[in-house]
Amino acid sequence: MGQGEASARGTAMEGDCLSCVKYLMFVFNFLIFLGGSFLLGVGVWVLVDPTGFREIVAANPLLFTGVYIVLAMGGMLFLLGFLGCCGAIRENKCLLLFFFMLILLIFLAELAAAILAFIFREHLTREYFTKELKRHYQGYNNTDVFTSTWNGIMNTFDCCGVNSPEDFKESLFKSLNHDDMVPAACCQRPSQPPDMADPSQEQCLRGNMMFRNNKGCYSAVVDYFELYIYVAGASAIVVLTIELFAMVFAMCLFRGIQ
């Protein structure tokens, strides 16, 4: 009789634990689902917004790429949250297994990205960017992806070159544009309407320091994103931890479902 009561108590406790895991997993994945829905909504709004914001984004390669990254992240979180919620509340082993496999793939992809970032960290140095800029930047050929991207960076961050305007000496840009010391993207924005001639730009192109941006883009970008880099690092650790717990919860629920 005592053994039967102990067994029944053990089974009840096991059921309570399983129920707790199920509802925790549901709440956790519902938050992920809401986060994914929000990111998808923001991405779609930017792409279809009729007020002209779409044109601003399309003209800037950095913002344009960022919108699609937001859409991809939103879609991934939306799918994950949906699968996790449905699998938990319906106690569907197939959905839970699919959820586990998807989380595992994302976890492994993030781990591989971290390893690759460590291996190719030398490609993020000032020297590497300077060498590439001197070798490939053309200045006014916006059909060239490398050139248009650099023009977007210099216009966005009000900077010039990787380290300074001196980077354009003995470069492909200089060989293509003998009369210009720096490209137009390095010049300070004119105060008068764009349809009027701007004498300051002519001075800038001739090398006058008063009319150009003299800060290098490497320092400008690092200064701008310094806080975000720390936040991204902390967020990556949190996300990886959450993914590990999500996989554990999914497997516990998967094994507990009869």
Side-chain angles (χ1 to χ4, degrees):
M1 184 77 174
Q3 287 183 351
E5 288 180 358
S7 176
R9 195 179 300 115
T11 303
M13 286 179 64
E14 197 174 298
D16 290 340
C17 286
L18 189 65
S19 181
C20 181
V21 168
K22 180 175 83 171
Y23 288 110
L24 275 174
M25 188 171 171
F26 175 80
V27 171
F28 164 73
N29 282 286
F30 185 68
L31 292 174
I32 291 177
F33 177 80
L34 289 179
S37 302
F38 174 76
L39 289 178
L40 273 176
V42 168
V44 171
W45 172 74
V46 169
L47 287 178
V48 302
D49 176 45
T51 61
F53 191 60
R54 177 179 54 190
E55 283 73 22
I56 297 172
V57 171
N60 190 315
L62 292 175
L63 292 176
F64 190 70
T65 304
V67 169
Y68 283 100
I69 290 173
V70 166
L71 278 172
M73 287 178 61
M76 181 184 70
L77 291 174
F78 182 90
L79 179 60
L80 273 176
F82 178 77
L83 287 173
C85 284
C86 290
I89 208 70
R90 294 174 64 88
E91 297 186 4
N92 187 306
K93 296 185 80 168
C94 183
L95 283 176
L96 285 171
L97 185 60
F98 188 57
F99 173 81
F100 175 83
M101 295 302 294
L102 195 57
I103 284 273
L104 182 61
L105 283 173
I106 293 168
F107 181 82
L108 292 175
E110 289 169 345
L111 200 59
I115 293 168
L116 286 171
F118 179 77
I119 292 172
F120 294 105
R121 64 190 182 281
E122 67 273 9
H123 286 192
L124 298 176
T125 61
R126 287 175 181 267
E127 292 75 18
Y128 176 81
F129 285 123
T130 305
K131 182 178 69 176
E132 291 297 296
L133 181 75
K134 285 179 175 289
R135 187 180 296 172
H136 301 296
Y137 180 76
Q138 299 176 31
Y140 305 105
N141 181 9
N142 278 318
T143 58
D144 177 63
V145 175
F146 185 90
T147 299
S148 61
T149 300
W150 263 104
N151 284 337
I153 291 170
M154 290 190 285
N155 284 317
T156 301
F157 295 100
D158 294 328
C159 57
C160 187
V162 177
N163 307 288
S164 72
E166 300 297 313
D167 291 339
F168 294 104
K169 290 182 177 179
E170 299 177 1
S171 65
L172 175 63
F173 165 78
K174 188 61 180 170
S175 67
L176 293 174
N177 307 275
H178 301 288
D179 296 331
D180 295 348
M181 299 298 292
V182 294
C186 285
C187 297
Q188 295 176 7
R189 290 183 179 87
S191 54
Q192 63 252 42
D195 56 339
M196 293 178 64
D198 181 26
S200 66
Q201 181 163 355
E202 188 68 26
Q203 293 289 323
C204 166
L205 297 176
R206 294 292 175 267
N208 192 322
M209 294 177 63
M210 296 288 293
F211 301 103
R212 74 186 186 197
N213 299 311
N214 294 296
K215 187 173 186 177
C217 291
Y218 193 93
S219 297
V221 173
V222 168
D223 289 347
Y224 184 84
F225 286 110
E226 186 174 15
L227 175 63
Y228 299 103
I229 289 168
Y230 290 120
V231 170
S235 300
I237 294 170
V238 170
V239 167
L240 287 171
T241 305
I242 289 172
E243 286 172 354
L244 280 171
F245 276 108
M247 287 190 285
V248 170
F249 280 155
M251 274 297 99
C252 287
L253 199 54
F254 180 85
R255 295 188 65 182
I257 295 171
Q258 301 299 323

